[in-house]
Amino acid sequence: MTSLNTAPDLTGRNLSKRRAFANRTATILIGLCVLIAALPLVLVAWEVVTRGGSALSLGFLTEEIPRNYRTEGPGMGPAILGTLAITGMAALIAIPIGVLGAVYLNEYGKNRPLARFIRTMADVMTGVPSIVMGLFIYVAYVLVIGEKVGFGGSLALACLMLPIVIRSAEEMLRLVPDELRQASAGLGARKWRTTMSVVLPSASSGITSGALLAVARAAGETAPIIVTVGLTYIYKPDLFYGENTTLAAQIYRNATQPFAASQERAWGAALTLIAIVFLFTVVSRIIASRFAIDKR
């Protein structure tokens, strides 16, 4: 009887040991995968910080861009202003349209033919190279007005951001439980009121993350900026008059030069661009979390 009783116990212990061993093995493998995935990011960040940190100074952030690539010293002030203005205008265009498009697809369009067509076109636009968007805006806008301006770059970046915002926002809206919509409808709220006061606040964090992904992609684009915006070395706050520039364009132009001074400015501009995107990410996450808490 004793041997019969101990046999199941031994089997259970062996099974428990095998499960513990499998769990530890899976945990170790997952940790190794995380380290392998994070290693390139850490190396890139380290390289940019170490090589670009020496170029950063108040003059680098505020002074105008040297016209001669051989000239040593600052700055990147016009490129920083151009990046903020052009990307900000693109976000003002793409994010509201993208979120409203996602609301239509998920809350109203569902599987209607128009909704399916919009989803298909959004998927197609996601894979379109940025230079194609730049050429499209160049033909449809720049050639029409007769000059390269900052707003042309905003339109090109907005076209790149729009499909990302639409698809990511739609996925976040799908995650909102239908019980919340039904509870709001049960209290007598109209569909538009439910969408504005219940659905969108519940998905605000995810929508913000998708919008930030779109902004991060737009801020680093070079080809459409060169095609539609042109180049300048001085401050151009007006997006509707004269050529402009961005940090991405200056990184490309300075990095392709063989001179040490231009190479240093390219690394400094790269670090500045990463810092701007990181700062906007942190601020937007804080705003989204506060907004979600207030709605609760």
Side-chain angles (χ1 to χ4, degrees):
M1 294 295 294
T2 304
S3 60
L4 293 176
N5 291 333
T6 56
D9 293 339
L10 293 174
T11 303
R13 291 176 182 177
N14 292 333
L15 181 61
S16 178
K17 290 180 179 179
R18 286 197 296 270
R19 288 177 177 175
F21 176 76
N23 181 57
R24 286 194 299 268
T25 303
T27 302
I28 293 172
L29 291 176
I30 292 172
L32 289 176
C33 291
V34 171
L35 290 176
I36 294 173
L39 182 61
L41 178 62
V42 173
L43 293 177
V44 170
W46 175 258
E47 186 74 9
V48 173
V49 171
T50 53
R51 301 190 64 170
S54 60
L56 290 184
S57 64
L58 181 61
F60 183 86
L61 300 176
T62 57
E63 293 185 13
E64 295 183 347
I65 304 170
R67 294 181 178 272
N68 191 336
Y69 289 111
R70 298 173 182 267
T71 304
E72 296 183 358
M76 280 289 162
I80 296 174
L81 177 62
T83 299
L84 296 176
I86 293 173
T87 307
M89 179 63 73
L92 288 177
I93 296 172
I95 293 176
I97 296 175
V99 173
L100 291 176
V103 169
Y104 168 76
L105 293 177
N106 190 72
E107 303 297 322
Y108 296 93
K110 303 294 184 179
N111 291 319
R112 294 176 182 174
L114 178 59
R116 292 199 299 268
F117 175 76
I118 294 175
R119 290 190 186 96
T120 301
M121 294 306 299
D123 292 337
V124 171
M125 289 178 63
T126 302
V128 172
S130 59
I131 186 62
V132 175
M133 291 296 185
L135 292 175
F136 169 72
I137 297 300
Y138 179 79
V139 173
Y141 181 76
V142 175
L143 292 182
V144 172
I145 65 173
E147 64 174 341
K148 294 182 178 181
V149 293
F151 186 68
S154 297
L155 291 177
L157 296 184
C159 291
L160 293 171
M161 294 171 60
L162 188 58
I164 300 175
V165 176
I166 290 176
R167 297 301 283 160
S168 61
E170 184 186 8
E171 293 300 324
M172 292 302 104
L173 293 174
R174 285 180 180 176
L175 297 178
V176 177
D178 286 335
E179 288 78 6
L180 295 178
R181 299 180 178 88
Q182 295 170 3
S184 179
L187 294 175
R190 295 178 180 271
K191 191 174 183 64
W192 70 267
R193 186 60 181 252
T194 299
T195 301
M196 296 298 296
S197 60
V198 177
V199 178
L200 284 176
S202 299
S204 61
S205 179
I207 292 174
T208 302
S209 299
L212 288 174
L213 289 175
V215 171
R217 180 191 176 183
E221 288 295 343
T222 305
I225 295 299
I226 295 176
V227 172
T228 60
V229 174
L231 178 66
T232 185
Y233 303 96
I234 61 176
Y235 281 97
K236 289 288 188 67
D238 189 354
L239 294 180
F240 298 92
Y241 176 75
E243 297 186 3
N244 215 309
T245 189
T246 64
L247 285 169
Q250 290 298 325
I251 292 171
Y252 168 75
R253 292 185 180 277
N254 283 275
T256 54
Q257 300 298 319
F259 311 113
S262 61
Q263 293 284 330
E264 185 180 17
R265 280 193 295 272
W267 284 109
L271 180 58
T272 304
L273 181 59
I274 292 175
I276 291 175
V277 173
F278 179 77
L279 179 62
F280 278 147
T281 301
V282 172
V283 172
S284 300
R285 283 300 182 90
I286 293 174
I287 293 174
S289 62
R290 294 286 180 87
F291 182 75
I293 292 173
D294 291 342
K295 286 296 182 181
R296 291 175 187 173

